[in-house]
Amino acid sequence: MSELRFIGFRAGPETFLVDIMAVRQIVSYSGSTRVPTAPEFIEGVIVVREQAIPVIDVHSRLFPGHAPASREPLVLLTQTAAGMIGLKVQDVRRVVTVNSEELLPAPATIRGIRGDFLVAIAPHDNEVLLVLDVDGLLTPDEQRQLAGG
């Protein structure tokens, strides 16, 4: 039995989890700068420690067409196969520790909706938490665009 640690955050009506090892930093979000030639899925860029980081709005990515909440968002700076990206989220809930045996596989019919970003379901403290693969939030083509290829 191995324990897995995740960062829990809200995007839309749900709480999602990402591997704590993928998150490098959490920063306040005061807006991003639109870049005219950036791919459509990129909201803009922010500069953190002299590095330009593309930002993806997780709410609009996972719940297209739904109005985002009015809270002050945060950005999770995450390391992906395509490099560092920022995930704009509504709020960061907590660090969650889950035993690997407690994770339930995501049903194939759900995983196939858009990519394989949903990797598991984690029942935890009377909640159903959705485990995301940060790399899976981007299609292979989007990853290539961010990596400059």
Side-chain angles (χ1 to χ4, degrees):
M1 170 167 35
S2 63
E3 285 189 338
L4 305 170
R5 292 174 48 99
F6 300 97
I7 297 276
F9 65 87
R10 301 258 331 153
E14 304 304 333
T15 300
F16 295 92
L17 302 176
V18 293
D19 184 350
I20 198 169
M21 297 306 290
V23 177
R24 299 293 178 247
Q25 186 176 349
I26 301 169
V27 297
S28 295
Y29 181 77
S30 58
S32 61
T33 302
R34 298 274 315 157
V35 178
T37 58
E40 187 177 313
F41 64 92
I42 299 297
E43 178 176 291
V45 295
I46 59 173
V47 176
V48 178
R49 287 181 266 129
E50 298 182 16
Q51 181 180 4
I53 300 171
V55 175
I56 296 171
D57 184 335
V58 176
H59 179 273
S60 60
R61 186 79 172 170
L62 299 180
F63 300 100
H66 291 84
S70 60
R71 294 184 139 181
E72 292 295 318
L74 296 169
V75 174
L76 301 175
L77 301 180
T78 59
Q79 188 62 47
T80 71
M84 186 74 72
I85 62 169
L87 303 178
K88 185 174 104 175
V89 302
Q90 287 169 289
D91 63 34
V92 175
R93 306 287 307 265
R94 61 189 183 274
V95 173
V96 176
T97 302
V98 178
N99 289 322
S100 57
E101 293 80 32
E102 295 172 352
L103 293 177
L104 304 172
T109 54
I110 295 172
R111 278 197 330 265
I113 290 172
R114 209 242 12 97
D116 284 326
F117 60 83
L118 182 63
V119 294
I121 308 293
H124 186 74
D125 291 341
N126 296 322
E127 275 189 281
V128 175
L129 307 174
L130 306 171
V131 181
L132 296 180
D133 174 15
V134 174
D135 286 318
L137 281 172
L138 302 171
T139 66
D141 185 51
E142 291 167 345
Q143 289 181 26
R144 278 191 296 281
Q145 287 179 43
L146 279 179

